[in-house]
Amino acid sequence: MAGSNEVNLNECKMVVPLNTWVLISSFKLAYNLLRRPDGTFNRHLAEFLDRKVPANLNPVDGVFSFDVLIDRATGLLCRIYRPATAEEPEPNIVELEKPVVGDVVPVIIFFHGGSFAHSSANSAIYDTLCRRLVGICKAVVVSVNYRRAPENRYPCAYDDGWTAFKWVNSRSWLQSRKDSKVHIYLAGDSSGGNIAHHVAARAVESGIDVLGNILLNPMFGGQERTESEKRLDGKYFVTLRDRDWYWRAFLPEGENRDHPACNPFGPNGRSLEGIKFPKSLVVVAGLDLIQDWQLAYVEGLRKAGKEVKLLYMEQATIGFYLLPNNNHFHTVMDEISEFVSSDC
Amino acid sequence: MKRDHNHLQPNPDPSSLRDAPSTGKAKVWDEEAAQQDCGMDELLAVLGYKVKTSDMAEVAQKLEQLEEVMCNVQDDGISHLASETVHYNPSDLSTWLESMLSELNPPSTFDPFGAAGTAAAALDDSFLGPAESSTLTTLDFDNINRKHQKSGQQIFEEASCSDYDLKAIPGKAIYSQNTQPQPQTHDSSSSSTPTNVKSEKRFKSTSGPPSPSDIFPPPPAAASYGIPTDSTRPVVLVDSQENGIRLVHALMACAEAVQQNNLNLAEALVKQIGFLAISQAGAMRKVATYFAEALARRIYRFYPQNPLDHSFSDVLHMHFYETCPYLKFAHFTANQAILEAFEGKKRVHVIDFSMNQGMQWPALMQALALRVGGPPAFRLTGFGPPSHDNSDHLQEVGCKLAQFAKKIHVEFEYRGFVANSLADLDASMLDLRPSEVEAVAVNSVFELHKLLARPGAIDKVFSVVKQMKPELVTIVEQEANHNGPVFLDRFTESLHFYSTLFDSLEGSVSSQDKVMSEVYLGKQICNVVACEGVDRIERHESLTQWRNRLSTAGFSPVHLGSNAFKQASMLLALFAGGDGYGVEENNGCLMLGWHNRPLITTSAWKLTNKTTAISQ
């Protein structure tokens, strides 16, 4: 196996810039240390290794942030990112929840990735990404620090997402002037994309509008082994074995990957036909081994008559959106911008 | 393709290099590196990783090597890396990877001072990992320095005497009523010039012309370290706001009025705050009340007495110690670093700038007692302010520690120094022994910031510390900038900070402890808001600012590792309402925060250049 590993590493290095390769390989290495074969997780080491950044009221590149404890019982924190305005270049504590200014102000509720087990809202990679989204979409971004597996299995992450959603929806200061409603988009990468889907479903069931879903390399799966999983296993940073580990850590004990959380349009899923599900922008990386599941998800949306735009980035690996040093990054950011602004 | 997104960090765009063959790519990277000024990869830096562009290929190589080794090694090897190995400073990818490579591929000649020096030292972590119970050594040391032994003293009670683990951190300390006046070993009163020590301007003032008290003379060149603007203001909102917002508005408006010297308006607002505060609940009410009181004192020029009556401040300190984990975290993490620094040393000397009731030391002494190979001889020199009632408080503390040392069979020596300011200290007073004979650690918990109230004081202290030739200097400070030149900024920052701190106390079990802790913190609030000049001693500064001061003064960081992180995290879980507390690693320092807002930071330092210490 050693021989083919060498080939993989070289191949892998050819398709991403060197610093991206270093970044994602470091994560891969760290994550290998954190997952234990018995299904437990080395949380202390994970928190030690994760690079975090504090919230910052001082605008950086026109964006400031602050944390809000929205549910004391579960310790649910969200980090809110707002654009700094010309009138208040240095916001102070009484201005944090000042009403947004604008006929239409998109509010993006963002769920960070990490396969349900890793990262936090204050992880540097996600703080950076959320800040970008503010600028690109002229939006307020709310990043949810949801509870993670394996300590907190399904449905904790979804419940936290729902709590955050209701909180956002009920903030008068986030309402757009046009209709005194909060214009909500749901977004997320990896497990965050999965959470965005499920929160959207719950929202529309409860009669609350979601204007759009943005799923970046969303984490879906199923019992079956698909062609892409077999072909790409271990080739571009990710293995089937680690995917299996994360599902086992998140799903209820005894459940398999056809659980609707993992496989929403699978044998135990249900169709969204007749449900007012929002339009979706789904980004799939061509070198992501779970792409068959992501494409099946897109197909599931289409079959149910839901509006969906698929961005298939052929030579992209996981995590391409973490660094602005490749074409895929810029393409996707442009598409996201258009997706959100088309609401105006 | 739009590229000029103004929200993006500037960076060279190597995407065009992607298709170049590997050698070509490496060549271009080298050129880039040569052009840049010792350049860190900016994109990775934003994400928290420090990798020089010129090192990127080498780091990639290490990653590949590790991948290969990990494939070949048993599962055990990997779990060892995760559970046994101590990791340090993950931001420095290169060193982190190197240390793991050494773990899995130990070099043929064991070189503890090689590239993986820290990791090598970490391999012997027998007393750093989770404790195992052990029996005290039966070796009989002639362990008490007779001149410190007193009869009839009560024993310093210990919660548990068996392991170096979390239980060993002292709980209730029982003190004798005994006051035995001793000749003070050192006393001084320092004269002072009431100048407001300059700190760097944090950011542009947005609130009108500064009041006279905010104008300060430009600093002499020597005093300015060219400290860059510390531009992070972390905030966590913990209340549902509603009425709280009106209260905060009133507080800010009042502070602004004070800043603009509009004292009539300020007075009216302060009264309004009083009414608003009553209708609030919980932490917000208390914080508002303390800030309002401090504002009132500033308005009416009814300044609090400084310094506090010592025995009362002791009581407050102890309650604060019990109620919330801040002091315990500080002691614990500092002790961890000291323990590591003292490894292999036969005689050690701790110089404590923050002696108080000496609560930090039993745990360290315990750990030293349990050390493989037996404890070193332990000498402790403690500093503290003078008592009002002429009791030699420091001597009492020393006696109790001596009793404890005897119980655990650690050779112990103690000396207490009373001083109004650490700046009165001179190395010659300390009876320092050659560093080959005795290893020194200097410890300061929430003390250094007080020196910023007098010009030159911090420099003097750093210079004296260097003369001590310490193996290690441990520093714990509040993580906040309450020392900016603009009053309103200090007010705002401290309002955020203490609101968060008070919120963390809300979950405390004992209401008496909680109240006392609030009074303890209230005194600090009063000092930050109502005092100026040499009286304003609560001049907290952030880690970034301390890092600059220390590196300019000739100190280099010593990293705290994943073992200290883990144990500190576990310590926090013991506190009621513990879920909100969190430990964060920041370039080798450990921060304790409440709901992701960092509140205190422990850092460790060594001399950058040991040989030149004497000349400075």
Side-chain angles (χ1 to χ4, degrees):
Chain A
M1 208 46 204
S4 60
N5 273 346
E6 269 172 50
V7 171
N8 293 339
L9 291 175
N10 284 337
E11 229 176 270
C12 201
K13 268 168 109 178
M14 295 307 291
V15 298
V16 293
L18 190 57
N19 52 2
T20 301
W21 190 89
V22 163
L23 179 74
I24 303 185
S25 301
S26 305
F27 286 162
K28 175 176 146 190
L29 170 66
Y31 294 1
N32 283 338
L33 295 179
L34 302 174
R35 294 188 304 269
R36 296 200 195 102
D38 66 356
T40 60
F41 189 77
N42 193 335
R43 183 60 65 191
H44 291 303
L45 186 58
E47 293 303 297
F48 177 80
L49 294 175
D50 189 26
R51 306 291 81 209
K52 298 183 194 285
V53 297
N56 193 354
L57 276 198
N58 289 341
V60 175
D61 290 334
V63 179
F64 69 92
S65 65
F66 58 96
D67 292 338
V68 183
L69 180 64
I70 68 175
D71 183 341
R72 211 178 261 275
T74 52
L76 181 60
L77 276 174
C78 286
R79 178 162 292 180
I80 305 200
Y81 301 84
R82 295 187 67 165
T85 60
E87 307 87 55
E88 280 306 335
E90 275 153 21
N92 68 44
I93 194 170
V94 300
E95 273 127 28
L96 299 186
E97 292 177 319
K98 211 166 98 157
V100 294
V101 177
D103 273 348
V104 174
V105 181
V107 178
I108 301 175
I109 303 180
F110 181 80
F111 300 98
H112 68 81
S115 307
F116 293 104
H118 298 282
S119 296
S120 308
N122 64 348
S123 294
I125 48 173
Y126 290 114
D127 185 85
T128 304
L129 181 56
C130 286
R131 284 171 171 275
R132 291 195 216 282
L133 290 176
V134 173
I136 296 169
C137 302
K138 311 278 180 284
V140 172
V141 176
V142 179
S143 184
V144 183
N145 199 45
Y146 58 89
R147 282 169 293 167
R148 298 161 302 185
E151 302 96 314
N152 300 288
R153 292 177 175 270
Y154 165 96
C156 294
Y158 300 153
D159 289 344
D160 288 350
W162 179 237
T163 304
F165 182 87
K166 284 187 295 181
W167 185 87
V168 167
N169 194 47
S170 61
R171 297 302 104 187
S172 55
W173 60 276
L174 284 174
Q175 289 169 352
S176 291
R177 230 179 359 221
K178 168 167 134 182
D179 51 7
S180 296
K181 282 166 122 177
V182 186
H183 286 218
I184 299 177
Y185 291 81
L186 297 172
D189 72 311
S190 167
S191 51
N194 176 295
I195 297 171
H197 164 83
H198 289 286
V199 172
R202 195 160 169 189
V204 300
E205 249 168 56
S206 309
I208 309 175
D209 281 338
V210 175
L211 292 172
N213 276 4
I214 301 164
L215 309 198
L216 296 173
N217 302 5
M219 186 171 159
F220 294 114
Q223 252 334 86
E224 183 196 329
R225 298 304 192 189
T226 64
E227 185 270 336
S228 66
E229 283 170 316
K230 290 185 245 187
R231 176 171 47 94
L232 295 170
D233 185 7
K235 295 242 160 68
Y236 296 96
F237 308 112
V238 185
T239 67
L240 208 43
R241 203 165 149 209
D242 70 61
R243 294 296 98 203
D244 287 351
W245 191 98
Y246 292 115
W247 283 120
R248 229 177 293 120
F250 173 69
L251 294 170
E253 312 228 19
E255 293 285 348
N256 70 14
R257 291 186 302 275
D258 281 334
H259 187 282
C262 175
N263 195 356
F265 298 134
N268 301 317
R270 63 180 176 127
S271 160
L272 292 177
E273 231 168 310
I275 298 175
K276 199 182 161 201
F277 200 78
K279 64 174 181 177
S280 300
L281 176 66
V282 182
V283 177
V284 176
L287 300 175
D288 188 344
L289 83 172
I290 63 167
Q291 62 188 269
D292 284 347
W293 293 112
Q294 295 161 337
L295 294 170
Y297 173 77
V298 170
E299 206 32 53
L301 287 177
R302 285 197 178 126
K303 275 206 208 121
K306 304 302 152 208
E307 191 188 329
V308 52
K309 180 166 188 183
L310 167 65
L311 283 179
Y312 186 83
M313 318 300 299
E314 221 171 276
Q315 284 291 93
T317 64
I318 54 147
F320 72 85
Y321 45 81
L322 296 178
L323 290 176
N325 60 0
N326 60 84
N327 295 335
H328 313 299
F329 175 92
H330 296 289
T331 305
V332 166
M333 293 303 148
D334 288 345
E335 291 282 349
I336 292 176
S337 171
E338 210 187 287
F339 186 76
V340 171
S341 68
S342 66
D343 170 37
C344 301
Chain B
M1 198 82 51
K2 287 201 293 265
R3 287 302 162 87
D4 53 356
H5 300 262
N6 59 9
H7 51 274
L8 297 177
Q9 305 287 343
N11 66 288
D13 179 8
S15 57
S16 54
L17 308 173
R18 220 168 8 89
D19 301 320
S22 331
T23 46
K25 194 193 301 190
K27 181 162 172 280
V28 176
W29 279 116
D30 283 342
E31 281 172 355
E32 298 258 5
Q35 283 161 22
Q36 286 170 24
D37 189 13
C38 215
M40 291 290 170
D41 182 290
E42 287 175 20
L43 296 189
L44 291 186
V46 168
L47 303 187
Y49 293 101
K50 300 197 177 126
V51 183
K52 287 199 192 145
T53 313
S54 53
D55 287 342
M56 194 70 65
E58 196 188 307
V59 168
Q61 213 172 41
K62 288 182 188 168
L63 279 161
E64 285 172 321
Q65 271 179 281
L66 264 170
E67 166 110 23
E68 213 176 288
V69 172
M70 276 168 73
C71 279
N72 296 333
V73 136
Q74 306 277 4
D75 260 336
D76 282 0
I78 297 176
S79 71
H80 177 92
L81 267 186
S83 57
E84 303 300 320
T85 308
V86 181
H87 298 258
Y88 293 91
N89 195 17
S91 284
D92 180 357
L93 264 182
S94 185
T95 310
W96 180 56
L97 294 171
E98 189 60 55
S99 67
M100 284 192 285
L101 277 169
S102 312
E103 287 276 340
L104 292 176
N105 273 335
S108 45
T109 51
F110 179 67
D111 176 14
F113 302 108
T118 0
L123 287 175
D124 176 14
D125 62 352
S126 50
F127 51 82
L128 298 175
E132 297 160 354
S133 54
S134 57
T135 52
L136 295 177
T137 163
T138 54
L139 284 170
D140 189 16
F141 296 96
D142 180 33
N143 53 14
I144 298 298
N145 185 327
R146 296 272 160 206
K147 71 183 175 191
H148 292 293
Q149 192 164 28
K150 298 281 176 254
S151 55
Q153 299 277 327
Q154 284 193 8
I155 293 168
F156 192 164
E157 293 277 334
E158 255 295 286
S160 138
C161 214
S162 55
D163 317 319
Y164 178 58
D165 63 12
L166 304 172
K167 300 198 290 295
I169 296 164
K172 296 285 178 200
I174 299 164
Y175 290 103
S176 70
Q177 296 304 303
N178 185 350
T179 54
Q180 290 194 12
Q182 295 288 322
Q184 291 180 337
T185 42
H186 183 85
D187 192 5
S188 77
S189 51
S190 22
S191 61
S192 60
T193 40
T195 37
N196 199 349
V197 177
K198 197 251 182 198
S199 175
E200 83 290 356
K201 204 161 192 281
R202 282 188 57 248
F203 42 80
K204 299 183 283 293
S205 166
T206 53
S207 44
S211 62
S213 61
D214 285 323
I215 294 168
F216 50 87
S224 164
Y225 291 109
I227 298 167
T229 307
D230 172 30
S231 56
T232 302
R233 281 196 292 152
V235 169
V236 59
L237 297 183
V238 291
D239 259 327
S240 57
Q241 294 302 298
E242 303 150 8
N243 284 330
I245 265 282
R246 273 200 304 157
L247 192 44
V248 173
H249 268 288
L251 281 164
M252 298 292 297
C254 185
E256 203 169 324
V258 165
Q259 163 101 348
Q260 288 160 355
N261 233 358
N262 185 346
L263 297 182
N264 288 327
L265 173 58
E267 201 179 325
L269 286 166
V270 133
K271 288 175 183 156
Q272 198 179 68
I273 292 166
F275 288 123
L276 284 172
I278 293 168
S279 64
Q280 268 296 110
M284 198 56 216
R285 176 175 50 81
K286 297 171 212 182
V287 169
T289 309
Y290 282 113
F291 274 90
E293 184 200 321
L295 282 166
R297 283 181 179 277
R298 195 179 178 102
I299 294 164
Y300 298 116
R301 295 176 202 271
F302 185 53
Y303 300 117
Q305 287 181 328
N306 244 354
L308 262 189
D309 173 65
H310 200 274
S311 55
F312 182 52
S313 104
D314 269 0
V315 167
L316 295 182
H317 194 253
M318 274 167 56
H319 282 282
F320 184 68
Y321 183 84
E322 287 307 316
T323 313
C324 47
Y326 302 101
L327 281 175
K328 289 188 180 169
F329 172 87
H331 295 170
F332 185 90
T333 47
N335 283 349
Q336 187 70 43
I338 296 172
L339 205 50
E340 287 181 38
F342 280 170
E343 193 189 327
K345 310 291 181 191
K346 296 282 186 284
R347 308 194 70 84
V348 303
H349 181 192
V350 171
I351 299 174
D352 188 8
F353 288 165
S354 35
M355 196 61 189
N356 291 294
Q357 303 88 42
M359 284 153 103
Q360 182 169 349
W361 306 117
L364 179 68
M365 290 158 72
Q366 190 120 59
L368 290 171
L370 295 175
R371 208 168 72 156
V372 168
F378 182 72
R379 180 153 79 114
L380 178 63
T381 302
F383 286 88
S387 317
H388 293 266
D389 59 355
N390 279 334
S391 69
D392 195 341
H393 146 89
L394 281 178
Q395 255 338 83
E396 286 172 33
V397 172
C399 292
K400 291 174 179 78
L401 289 173
Q403 293 285 341
F404 178 69
K406 182 174 181 184
K407 204 158 81 154
I408 61 173
H409 305 297
V410 173
E411 188 185 325
F412 181 72
E413 227 188 295
Y414 175 83
R415 201 156 170 213
F417 282 91
V418 171
N420 277 312
S421 165
L422 290 172
D424 299 334
L425 169 67
D426 255 309
S428 55
M429 302 161 182
L430 292 173
D431 180 27
L432 294 169
R433 296 162 198 169
S435 46
E436 311 83 66
V437 171
E438 187 174 72
V440 173
V442 178
N443 181 77
S444 167
V445 176
F446 302 137
E447 285 297 325
L448 287 189
H449 60 263
K450 299 178 187 172
L451 295 166
L452 301 176
R454 286 172 200 271
I458 190 77
D459 296 328
K460 165 108 196 289
V461 170
F462 282 155
S463 136
V464 170
V465 167
K466 286 191 291 194
Q467 288 170 53
M468 299 171 185
K469 304 233 209 100
E471 289 297 311
L472 193 75
V473 181
T474 47
I475 297 173
V476 185
E477 283 289 327
Q478 291 89 343
E479 187 58 31
N481 186 352
H482 298 155
N483 198 24
V486 179
F487 170 74
L488 187 57
D489 295 339
R490 294 199 300 271
F491 184 87
T492 313
E493 285 306 297
S494 54
L495 185 58
H496 295 171
F497 181 82
Y498 286 101
S499 297
T500 308
L501 208 36
F502 270 68
D503 190 66
S504 75
L505 296 180
E506 283 297 292
S508 317
V509 176
S510 153
S511 58
Q512 195 210 4
D513 272 346
K514 182 158 72 154
V515 167
M516 295 297 223
S517 302
E518 287 161 3
V519 172
Y520 174 83
L521 294 173
K523 303 259 168 231
Q524 291 179 6
I525 291 170
C526 206
N527 188 272
V528 176
V529 173
C531 298
E532 284 302 337
V534 293
D535 292 327
R536 178 159 62 88
I537 57 170
E538 297 298 345
R539 293 180 181 255
H540 313 142
E541 289 190 346
S542 69
L543 176 61
T544 306
Q545 292 166 290
W546 283 112
R547 275 197 175 121
N548 278 304
R549 286 188 190 278
L550 283 152
S551 71
T552 309
F555 296 90
S556 303
V558 172
H559 298 134
L560 291 148
S562 56
N563 53 343
F565 182 95
K566 174 177 175 176
Q567 290 181 35
S569 300
M570 286 161 62
L571 164 72
L572 296 177
L574 299 177
F575 279 82
D579 283 350
Y581 292 112
V583 186
E584 245 181 66
E585 191 279 344
N586 182 322
N587 289 293
C589 302
L590 293 186
M591 295 180 157
L592 171 57
W594 175 250
H595 288 302
N596 281 0
R597 156 76 214 242
L599 291 170
I600 71 174
T601 302
T602 302
S603 61
W605 305 85
K606 60 179 185 213
L607 295 175
T608 305
N609 199 337
K610 258 185 146 157
T611 52
T612 59
I614 314 161
S615 55
Q616 281 166 339

